[in-house]
Amino acid sequence: MSEPRRRMRSAAVTLGLTALMAASLTGCSSEEPKDYAAICVNPETEERVRDDECVDDREYHGSGSGFFWFYMATRGSALVPPVGGRYAARDGTYTVSTLRNSQGRPVSVQRGGLDTKGGDIGTISRGGFGKSSKGGSGG
């Protein structure tokens, strides 16, 4: 009679520890929502390329060749193209240096790490655990 009760208690303890572990891992995520996220783009073809093609933080000012970070606000409903897809120029900029958040401070930026399959920037997975919520500030 005590054997089934012991198994139930053991299962309850295991389930409780699993839930506690999952909650602590999610709560310990140090990832703060960023104001802007960047995808790597070839401005000549207007095509998104793999993040590792953007080797530095140069800003594109309408001339030059290579691949550049294209910054998109994490709030709103901007769509991130998949790698190989074309980006929507109205949804972002190549020059982050002039952007400010709602408090007038420089914005926080995440370069790369967005889902290579594209999607809504507010709900797209940005590494770590699960989906990230939309940012609350931006410029």
Side-chain angles (χ1 to χ4, degrees):
M1 189 69 159
S2 66
E3 186 65 27
R5 189 177 191 150
R6 184 177 295 166
R7 284 189 197 158
M8 288 180 61
R9 190 177 320 151
S10 177
V13 168
T14 301
L15 182 60
L17 287 174
T18 302
L20 182 63
M21 183 80 137
S24 67
L25 287 174
T26 302
C28 290
S29 175
S30 62
E31 186 178 333
E32 292 289 322
K34 302 291 186 185
D35 298 315
Y36 283 78
I39 57 174
C40 189
V41 169
N42 178 346
E44 293 178 355
T45 61
E46 299 181 342
E47 180 180 307
R48 180 181 178 191
V49 297
R50 294 185 336 260
D51 292 342
D52 60 357
E53 299 289 343
C54 284
V55 295
D56 56 34
D57 297 338
R58 293 178 301 148
E59 292 189 344
Y60 180 71
H61 297 283
S63 63
S65 62
F67 305 108
F68 296 86
W69 290 113
F70 184 75
Y71 304 97
M72 305 172 81
T74 55
R75 60 178 165 67
S77 57
L79 294 176
V80 176
V83 169
R86 293 186 65 187
Y87 69 95
R90 69 180 182 283
D91 291 336
T93 177
Y94 286 103
T95 54
V96 71
S97 58
T98 59
L99 298 175
R100 297 286 181 259
N101 65 20
S102 59
Q103 289 84 36
R105 296 183 191 134
V107 295
S108 58
V109 175
Q110 173 184 324
R111 288 182 180 86
L114 297 178
D115 194 329
T116 58
K117 296 175 184 167
D120 183 335
I121 196 168
T123 58
I124 201 166
S125 177
R126 286 192 278 264
F129 302 98
K131 304 283 184 180
S132 178
S133 63
K134 293 181 179 186
S137 61

